[in-house]
Amino acid sequence: MKPILEISHLEKRFGDHLVLKDINFQVDQGEVICVIGSSGSGKSTMLRCINFLEEPTGGRILYHGKDAATEWRRTEYNAKVGMVFQSFNLFSNMSVLENCVAGQMYVLKTPRKEAEEKAVYFLEKVGMGQYRYAKPAQLSGGQKQRVAIARALCMEPEILLFDEPTSALDPEMVGEVLGVMQKLAASGMTMLIVTHEMSFARDVAQRVLFMDGGIILEDAKPAELFTNPKQERTKEFLQRVIARQL
Amino acid sequence: MPANIPSSFFEWVSFLLDKYGALFFKGTVVTLEVALTGTVFGFLLGLIVAIVRTIPLSKKSRAKRIALHVCRFLLGAYIEVFRGTPMIVQSMVIYYGLMQVGVKMPVLAAAIFIVSINTGAYMAEIIRGGIISVDKGQKEATVALGMTHWQGMVHVVLPQAVRNIMPSIGNEFVVNIKDSSVLNVISVGELFFMSKSAAGAYLRYFEVFFITACIYLVLTFSVTRLLRLMEKKMDGQDHYTIYGSQSDSKSSITVQEGGQV
Ligand SMILES: Nc1ncnc2c1ncn2[C@@H]1O[C@H](COP(=O)(O)OP(=O)(O)O)[C@@H](O)[C@H]1O
Ligand SMILES: [Mg+2]
């Protein structure tokens, strides 16, 4: 089977600061991939380049074998490649329901009634159905992030990108969001997740990428990467992080 | 001269109100008309300018990029010129300038035109500030969902920007109520102009302008209150309704902001 995403020689520089040097990997249908690495190693920049929130300065991103930058319409591509942000980024002028309806109506041109039905369906899935009339400001962090996931799901994306979805949450809310993500993974959704939650990466991911110095230094199954990392840098990083998490 | 000449301040005030009430009223109507339409048109003008000034530069088309640069330069010049000169001078230049090239605008139209472009220059900066102040992440989320720049602006950024600058818009309205008085230099029959003619007849400047000041104050005060009410309305309810498990809407629970569920 052909991969959904093929990223080759992806490069991103800000001025003369080369943040992504040479990123290469593929994402297959249904794969759950976690991306780990120290702060500032370029994880967010990589995700933001994949959906063109940042314009890459080199390399190619193929989506279903076609160049995402030139052969796909940007809006169509972005609708297919969903994103969940660390800071939720819910539209604060809209209710929870409207947040989930907006993309469907304006991008996919779904009629309102149908869009609302789908919104309710996914809000129920993330356990937020009863909050449909609330405004984002009235929700807790964990609730906001679950709504953000439902909003992304409403577009029926083919792959979901997560940028540290639990890093802005109070500890007691991390579980509810990871729970939703675990359910999603089990349902076969293709996901690329930047996270510091090592146990989640170990239990849920099929592959873990370790990013360091603008490249993917190690790409392995979690069992392998966590118990028997090949690179010295990976070992150091895991020691530091796991010491902190225990 | 009246048969029995008023002798005290209050007698003069009531005498003048009696005699020139209609004049004051007409002046007040014109002032409100000019200030309101000027603020509305100024807002729309400022909105367009601010939107153009925040269009992202196209990476693909060089021609579009250059056109946008030229547009931005011209709009920047417009803002500088109209914020950098007094409205009283602008009125003279525009009104008499147009007259010299053979265009005789009706004064009321000229008044509205001048207040609108003047307000537009201030509004453009206010709205641009409002746009910039909206959380960047929300704009990114619109892009990530596949919305275009326009869709993101219309549905997410501008509603929040406009809500955030409502106090400044109200301020512009109040300023326009007061500053439309400078239009008397081109003989617009607004409140100040009318007051001057009322004062002239009996040379009672203090009493007349005391009344005028009261009218301005009542206008600006009520406008401020009204806008405050509008803001409240825009904010909507500070509570929301939990969608009940029973479909009966009466069984739903209402939660106050910050309340526990
Ligand atoms: N818009 C930007 N302009 C300049 N430098 C940036 C920008 N965004 C990120 N960077 C730099 O890129 C590097 C990687 O950042 P980031 O991708 O956020 O790392 P991570 O998500 O792994 O913590 C950092 O050194 C950061 O300062
Ligand atoms: Mg990051």
Side-chain angles (χ1 to χ4, degrees):
Chain A
M1 198 171 62
K2 278 190 73 91
I4 297 181
L5 271 182
E6 292 165 79
I7 291 154
S8 49
H9 306 300
L10 181 65
E11 181 206 275
K12 175 67 186 176
R13 54 173 77 238
F14 293 106
D16 49 13
H17 182 19
L18 186 57
V19 176
L20 300 181
K21 290 197 182 107
D22 184 18
I23 301 283
N24 298 283
F25 68 98
Q26 303 188 343
V27 183
D28 284 333
Q29 174 80 49
E31 252 190 322
V32 176
I33 303 176
C34 280
V35 181
I36 60 172
S38 41
S39 175
S41 59
K43 304 180 300 295
S44 298
T45 304
M46 181 181 81
L47 285 194
R48 293 167 58 79
C49 281
I50 291 178
N51 69 2
F52 296 97
L53 288 177
E54 300 285 358
E55 216 54 49
T57 48
R60 294 213 314 167
I61 298 168
L62 297 187
Y63 177 62
H64 287 291
K66 288 202 284 182
D67 193 323
T70 56
E71 293 177 89
W72 283 95
R73 271 169 61 126
R74 183 61 47 86
T75 52
E76 193 185 351
Y77 173 78
N78 276 343
K80 288 281 174 202
V81 179
M83 176 105 169
V84 174
F85 299 87
Q86 179 175 351
S87 47
F88 328 123
N89 297 350
L90 293 179
F91 307 136
S92 40
N93 58 321
M94 298 180 190
S95 69
V96 163
L97 188 69
E98 287 300 320
N99 263 275
C100 296
V101 164
Q104 297 184 66
M105 282 181 60
Y106 307 136
V107 180
L108 307 177
K109 313 290 177 205
T110 313
R112 171 168 283 279
K113 192 168 171 300
E114 205 177 304
E116 281 185 1
E117 278 166 14
K118 192 182 283 175
V120 167
Y121 173 80
F122 284 114
L123 283 170
E124 298 283 0
K125 278 241 153 164
V126 300
M128 289 298 293
Q130 60 187 41
Y131 295 94
R132 65 189 70 165
Y133 300 126
K135 284 280 182 74
Q138 296 162 327
L139 303 178
S140 74
Q143 293 175 325
K144 281 186 211 177
Q145 195 60 297
R146 285 188 280 149
V147 172
I149 292 172
R151 177 177 70 179
L153 288 174
C154 282
M155 304 300 287
E156 309 248 351
E158 221 176 341
I159 172 167
L160 269 185
L161 313 176
F162 291 80
D163 190 5
E164 301 197 30
T166 58
S167 294
L169 300 180
D170 290 336
E172 73 261 34
M173 294 169 189
V174 170
E176 69 189 53
V177 171
L178 290 183
V180 166
M181 289 169 63
Q182 191 154 10
K183 261 190 3 195
L184 257 182
S187 76
M189 174 58 81
T190 313
M191 311 203 294
L192 184 61
I193 306 162
V194 172
T195 184
H196 287 294
E197 297 294 332
M198 294 303 149
S199 51
F200 178 83
R202 188 191 57 210
D203 299 339
V204 180
Q206 281 128 41
R207 257 166 81 198
V208 177
L209 313 182
F210 173 66
M211 268 187 83
D212 190 63
I215 59 164
I216 291 171
L217 198 59
E218 205 161 339
D219 176 347
K221 289 198 158 47
E224 234 170 277
L225 193 128
F226 285 116
T227 54
N228 189 18
K230 294 211 171 47
Q231 303 286 335
E232 203 52 40
R233 297 278 301 171
T234 319
K235 230 175 268 178
E236 280 169 29
F237 171 77
L238 287 175
Q239 266 161 12
R240 253 184 300 133
V241 174
I242 287 167
R244 213 188 312 134
Q245 287 197 354
L246 288 183
Chain B
M1 281 285 145
N4 42 351
I5 296 169
S7 54
S8 72
F9 172 73
F10 290 108
E11 277 177 33
W12 268 110
V13 167
S14 85
F15 169 76
L16 289 165
L17 272 177
D18 200 41
K19 184 136 181 151
Y20 295 115
L23 207 61
F24 281 119
F25 181 74
K26 253 165 83 185
T28 306
V29 168
V30 171
T31 288
L32 262 183
E33 207 175 312
V34 169
L36 182 63
T37 44
T39 308
V40 170
F41 285 138
F43 171 74
L44 294 175
L45 186 60
L47 191 63
I48 293 167
V49 173
I51 287 173
V52 171
R53 301 223 307 163
T54 52
I55 294 175
L57 285 173
S58 162
K59 275 155 210 125
K60 288 187 186 132
S61 161
R62 201 176 134 78
K64 269 192 202 162
R65 215 160 48 222
I66 292 170
L68 197 56
H69 272 303
V70 172
C71 255
R72 282 188 192 176
F73 174 79
L74 292 176
L75 294 176
Y78 154 63
I79 292 171
E80 288 306 323
V81 168
F82 278 87
R83 291 207 313 175
T85 54
M87 189 157 79
I88 192 166
V89 174
Q90 293 162 13
S91 323
M92 299 299 266
V93 170
I94 292 174
Y95 186 66
Y96 291 110
L98 282 176
M99 206 177 300
Q100 272 186 20
V101 297
V103 184
K104 171 97 177 66
M105 258 184 146
V107 275
L108 190 63
I112 291 172
F113 178 72
I114 290 160
V115 174
S116 300
I117 47 176
N118 184 277
T119 309
Y122 286 93
M123 286 283 193
E125 282 301 89
I126 293 172
I127 296 170
R128 194 168 69 97
I131 290 173
I132 292 171
S133 74
V134 174
D135 168 25
K136 289 221 169 31
Q138 293 187 35
K139 181 66 184 9
E140 288 190 340
T142 66
V143 175
L145 284 172
M147 290 190 209
T148 61
H149 170 71
W150 294 111
Q151 289 173 327
M153 287 299 275
V154 169
H155 299 295
V156 175
V157 177
L158 289 177
Q160 293 183 56
V162 170
R163 168 62 193 91
N164 291 344
I165 61 169
M166 276 304 281
S168 307
I169 295 175
N171 197 43
E172 282 298 307
F173 191 12
V174 166
V175 165
N176 281 342
I177 288 174
K178 294 186 297 176
D179 286 5
S180 55
S181 58
V182 306
L183 294 165
N184 81 85
V185 297
I186 55 166
S187 306
V188 178
E190 42 70 49
L191 184 53
F192 183 84
F193 182 85
M194 294 305 204
S195 305
K196 255 193 356 191
S197 27
Y202 297 98
L203 299 175
R204 301 309 297 193
Y205 284 92
F206 173 61
E207 287 81 359
V208 165
F209 280 97
F210 177 80
I211 297 169
T212 311
C214 290
I215 299 175
Y216 274 120
L217 195 61
V218 168
L219 287 184
T220 52
F221 185 78
S222 359
V223 160
T224 314
R225 292 288 122 166
L226 248 146
L227 282 162
R228 196 69 51 76
L229 267 177
M230 253 174 77
E231 280 179 46
K232 276 239 174 80
K233 192 113 197 197
M234 279 171 95
D235 286 342
Q237 298 169 317
D238 62 350
H239 55 83
Y240 60 95
T241 305
I242 291 273
Y243 190 84
S245 45
Q246 293 100 319
S247 48
D248 177 10
S249 69
K250 287 188 200 94
S251 74
S252 59
I253 315 158
T254 292
V255 178
Q256 291 293 318
E257 188 143 11
Q260 291 297 306
V261 187

